[in-house]
Amino acid sequence: MCLAVPGRVLDIEERDGTRMANVDFGGVVKEVCLEYLPDLQVGEYAIVHVGFALQRLDEESAKQTLELFATLGMLQEEFGDPWEMAAETGGTLPPEGEGARL
Amino acid sequence: MKYIDEFQDPDLARRLLDDIHSTVTRPWALMEVCGGQTHTIIRHGIDQLLPEQVELIHGPGCPVCVTPLEVIDKALEIASRPGVIFCSFGDMLRVPGTGRDLFQVRGAGGDVRVVYSPLDALRIAQQNPDREVVFFGIGFETTAPPNAMTVYQARKLGIRNFSLLVSHVRVPPAIEAIMQSPSCRVQGFLAAGHVCSVMGVEEYPELAERFRVPIVVTGFEPLDILEGVRRTVAQLERGEHTVDNAYPRAVRPEGNAAARAMLEDVFEVTDRAWRGIGVIPDSGWRLSAKYRDHDAEYRFSVDGIQTREPAECRSGEVLQGLLKPHECEAFGTLCTPRTPLGATMVSSEGACAAYYLYRRLDLTPAPREASPVV
Ligand code: SF4
């Protein structure tokens, strides 16, 4: 939840008087509120936290971060099925080689 | 150096490390405030790549971990009521309350839903006008503005069946509390980058000056952490204590003005209890009087809750940097992610979980002075 992920604005529309955008996070597209970055434009990158764009980011750093997050499986952590993940943490041990050896 | 090849730019990582190694002349203890940073550090073994004199102490910056048990119990109580749709971020599902968690409440028939954004919860309220929709509003200065905006929207659109169970926390008072503790060993702070992208850095110079402690705004990718450590150590070696921004690509000095204005409108500063730590004055936000209609604590009477903390859990000391997770007796035995005793083992940003997932149990005893005063 505390993770903030960079994403690229695909399109922008007004909904209920609020500026909303579809934002692409390395393949996953989510709806994002632009009220805190009202002049963000299509094609720009921003750091997005729980569905809100909070700060502009240049393309180069955004892409690097996304690549890193994808490698580390953090995008899955942020956008995967939370019920499945909760069930997993409750039901299985960490993968072989990564976990604590007891 | 097993880990360094995994860095995004191993050459740069090596240069930063070399610089730190050649700068340091005596022991320094730095605290990384943010739980995301703790995970990066443990996952990449950064603490082991640093010179022995540089110790990283893990801070309290995990919102899930510091949410007080009483608030978790209130959430569980509200979520169990008929007619309620209880919405939360996924990381709260397994956080133990007294005796159960949200995952189990849903198993027992409660309508608990996971949302990606608080605005999703607001939409659920719009679609279910005959139900009460409650969103679990926890988190630091990064999560508070989205939640504030959602309450603002609810009011603007006249959505009356939406409320927030709010337990927001603020970083600067926590830094102050840590520095004031008699057992404090922290000599420099890696401040949480994304908190600063909202709040800017204005709150820090006074703290840096008063406690003569360098505060370096730091991102949470491996290279960001190395750069944050490098700059903090350089200041300490020079005897300086200023605020420095090592994460300028995401942090402007003034933060995000629109978000800060919304926070001021919707919330007011209040004392807040931190799980395992206790009450820190002015360390939280609650809804201001204007928005009280949307405060779940006013809407549902959930007083008189009896909380019970597991006696074995020492997460309070872990959160204050007084104890490393593996020094807790229950670590890895009584307490695992499968059977967590404390939130620090459940949360994806918790220090105990980080140690369990990424750190072999090579139990290096902490230096003597690191032992908690109990
Ligand atoms: S290992 Fe478990 S019991 Fe020990 S402090 Fe961490 S969460 Fe609490």
Side-chain angles (χ1 to χ4, degrees), chain B residues 312-316 318 323 325-326 328-332 334-336 339-346 351-353:
Chain B
E312 303 88 347
C313 180
R314 301 179 70 181
S315 61
V318 170
L323 188 79
H326 62 256
C328 165
E329 288 223 337
F331 177 85
L334 267 183
C335 179
T336 67
T339 54
L341 289 179
T344 40
M345 185 58 97
V346 183
C352 297

Side-chain angles (χ1 to χ4, degrees), chain A residues 1-5 25 28 30 48-51 69 73-82 85, chain B residues 89 91 115-116 348-349:
Chain A
M1 172 202 111
C2 220
L3 192 63
V5 185
F25 303 95
V28 185
K30 290 267 176 196
V48 175
H49 180 57
V50 298
F69 282 5
M74 285 160 83
L75 290 179
Q76 172 61 24
E77 230 167 70
E78 181 76 359
F79 300 119
D81 178 355
M85 283 190 281
Chain B
F89 295 130
D91 357 22
V115 292
Y116 161 66
S348 55
E349 277 120 34

Side-chain angles (χ1 to χ4, degrees), chain B residues 2 6 13 36 43 63 87 137 161 181 245 254 321 332 354 365 370:
Chain B
K2 168 172 165 276
E6 293 166 15
R43 192 171 209 155
C87 300
N161 60 327
S181 152
N245 183 2
E254 70 287 359

Side-chain angles (χ1 to χ4, degrees), chain B residues 152-166:
Chain B
Y152 172 84
Q153 294 270 352
R155 212 173 105 118
K156 195 174 80 177
L157 301 172
I159 303 172
R160 292 169 175 282
N161 60 327
F162 177 83
S163 58
L164 198 65
L165 177 63
V166 47

Side-chain angles (χ1 to χ4, degrees), chain A residues 1 18 31 36 64-65 98, chain B residues 8 91 123 145 153 221 357:
Chain A
M1 172 202 111
T18 304
E31 268 194 347
Y36 290 139
Q64 281 187 10
T65 304
E98 250 194 298
Chain B
Q8 202 164 33
D91 357 22
R123 192 166 323 152
Q153 294 270 352
E221 292 173 35
L357 285 174

